[in-house]
Amino acid sequence: MAYRIIQVNPTATTNSRISVLVIYTGGTFGMVYEPQAGQLIPFDFERVLDRLPELNRLNFAISLLTLHEIIDSSNMKPAVWIELAQIIQDNYTQYDSFVILHGTDTMSFTASALSFMLEGLAKPVILTGAQLPIGVARSDARENFITALEIAAATEANRPIVPEVCVYFNSLLLRGNRSTKRESVQFNAFTSENYPNLANAGVSIDYNRPFIRSYLPNETLKIHSVLNPNVTILKLFPGITQAVVESITNIPSLRGIVLETFGAGNAPTDTWFLNALKAAVDRGVLIFNVSQCEGGRVTQGQYQTSKHLLQIGVVSGADITTEAAITKLMVLLGREPGAGQNDLLRLQTLLAQPISGEMSA
Ligand code: ASP
């Protein structure tokens, strides 16, 4: 697919020779109030400088690519993640870093997916968006966008400071695959309960260096652009029925389940429940145990109510988020399509290991 790329700030004094490619996907961010229609409508993002003239004061080059179809991120899907990964790969040598403007609703899913799809990434990919449209006076779009750009362009000794996929929002830089949207009204929309923030942006941007992924200068970017969509999330609740559980575990094409369990990874011990899971594992389905709690971690075997899961072959998700777990399953199953018994053991081992800092070992 061919895209039009324009330079947003042609009159800026771009003496730092850094260039950032902004990829605009849609979301609340790019809306403006249309008085005649009395509603919010997407505005022509190529005219972003009209709204944010201060972009001209940043001393690096900012280019803009708008996806052919602008979406509310509730319509996000693997095909768009593949498109984004492809755009990053196609422009990888021309640009020093990437900022993706994205709706907040599924931003953490996209950040997680890209972190698994972009193997060997050595440049910043910063996702951001806004809770209030750019056309609203009190919008958070301006601060989020400008700081995300500054973080994307930040270097030290000619190396990017943050060479990984991140979410920047409301003063916080988070590892993308550790982030979760937790708030739909306040500006502090994202949190990372199980991994420290990578930076805090106040008067200065303070980087939390020990927790930022190391720069890998000799890696070449390799994208994983096959994702297996035959996965699901099964959230447990007291009273869940056999019919509900089996309607999911018996889906013929299913290859992976994120099992959202209680507390430290606990689940009912009813025989019908364990049999349903065991039958799925025996058919080659990967089951990934993720806690419903935002903080803490799954420790299978700590309680009797999780020991059985371990015995069946359910894989512990440790402290992973649901967003990272489901996208990790899609990418892993896309990468390793084999469905035999030996493949299952290998996949269970791969699933249990961190791929890009999404879970603590
Ligand atoms: N529904 C919007 C979206 O995710 C919300 C937002 O952008 O904040 O695209």
Side-chain angles (χ1 to χ4, degrees):
M1 253 191 277
Y3 300 92
R4 194 172 117 89
I5 298 184
I6 57 154
Q7 189 174 343
V8 171
N9 58 347
T11 54
T13 332
T14 56
N15 55 6
S16 74
R17 297 213 315 271
I18 299 275
S19 58
V20 182
L21 179 63
V22 175
I23 307 169
Y24 177 57
T25 70
T28 296
F29 189 102
M31 302 276 186
V32 286
Y33 189 68
E34 166 56 62
Q36 265 152 20
Q39 60 188 32
L40 289 164
I41 54 158
F43 91 112
D44 175 6
F45 208 79
E46 292 195 353
R47 307 202 48 175
V48 63
L49 204 57
D50 298 349
R51 300 268 158 191
L52 300 176
E54 50 276 70
L55 292 178
N56 253 333
R57 296 215 297 272
L58 299 175
N59 75 338
F60 48 87
I62 304 165
S63 298
L64 172 73
L65 179 157
T66 302
L67 292 191
H68 294 305
E69 195 189 345
I70 290 308
I71 56 168
D72 180 297
S73 79
S74 301
N75 281 318
M76 188 48 71
K77 36 186 77 70
V80 185
W81 296 336
I82 295 166
E83 190 181 349
L84 289 171
Q86 195 67 59
I87 290 171
I88 291 171
Q89 187 178 51
D90 292 347
N91 292 281
Y92 198 65
T93 47
Q94 291 98 295
Y95 295 93
D96 297 293
S97 54
F98 302 85
V99 168
I100 301 178
L101 294 174
H102 195 289
T104 56
D105 288 347
T106 61
M107 193 186 295
S108 294
F109 289 90
T110 299
S112 299
L114 289 176
S115 77
F116 303 129
M117 295 167 77
L118 302 170
E119 189 181 327
L121 182 73
K123 297 187 176 185
V125 174
I126 315 291
L127 286 93
T128 195
Q131 292 281 62
L132 271 179
I134 200 169
V136 170
R138 286 182 53 250
S139 175
D140 51 341
R142 181 184 169 281
E143 192 283 318
N144 285 345
F145 187 29
I146 290 176
T147 308
L149 284 165
E150 290 202 339
I151 291 171
T155 56
E156 198 172 60
N158 283 325
R159 296 170 161 204
I161 296 183
V162 193
E164 59 172 301
V165 180
C166 298
V167 164
Y168 175 76
F169 215 89
N170 192 50
S171 314
L172 299 181
L173 183 71
L174 310 176
R175 173 166 289 169
N177 58 29
R178 294 289 195 146
S179 70
T180 298
K181 181 172 178 183
R182 62 124 181 251
E183 171 63 59
S184 62
V185 176
Q186 306 295 325
F187 285 140
N188 56 348
F190 291 89
T191 182
S192 164
E193 288 298 331
N194 288 326
Y195 197 75
N197 302 336
L198 301 187
N200 286 289
V203 172
S204 60
I205 300 174
D206 296 328
Y207 292 96
N208 197 357
R209 287 163 207 267
F211 295 95
I212 297 175
R213 201 172 88 171
S214 313
Y215 175 62
L216 309 166
N218 301 322
E219 295 271 338
T220 26
L221 180 72
K222 176 170 174 244
I223 65 167
H224 297 285
S225 50
V226 179
L227 276 73
N228 189 329
N230 296 309
V231 294
T232 193
I233 299 171
L234 172 55
K235 181 167 185 155
L236 299 180
F237 56 89
I240 192 167
T241 63
Q242 184 169 358
V244 167
V245 171
E246 288 180 356
S247 71
I248 290 176
T249 55
N250 287 338
I251 296 170
S253 56
L254 196 69
R255 294 294 319 280
I257 302 175
V258 171
L259 184 67
E260 275 205 7
T261 54
F262 308 119
N266 305 316
T269 49
D270 300 279
T271 310
W272 64 262
F273 177 74
L274 297 170
N275 285 346
L277 296 189
K278 169 121 183 25
V281 173
D282 289 346
R283 284 198 342 268
V285 175
L286 280 170
I287 305 185
F288 205 15
N289 185 352
V290 176
S291 174
Q292 293 177 17
C293 299
E294 272 189 16
R297 61 182 290 140
V298 165
T299 316
Q300 290 194 143
Q302 184 181 357
Y303 289 87
Q304 193 220 353
T305 43
S306 67
K307 211 171 92 207
H308 300 296
L309 301 179
L310 186 66
Q311 286 159 352
I312 290 169
V314 171
V315 177
S316 168
D319 56 358
I320 200 169
T321 62
T322 296
E323 293 88 331
I326 194 79
T327 51
K328 184 175 182 179
L329 276 176
M330 287 186 201
V331 176
L332 198 59
L333 288 164
R335 237 174 64 187
E336 311 269 341
Q341 202 54 40
N342 289 344
D343 297 306
L344 181 68
L345 288 176
R346 199 162 41 81
L347 281 166
Q348 286 172 334
T349 311
L350 288 172
L351 194 59
Q353 291 162 2
I355 295 180
S356 57
E358 75 283 4
M359 58 201 263
S360 311

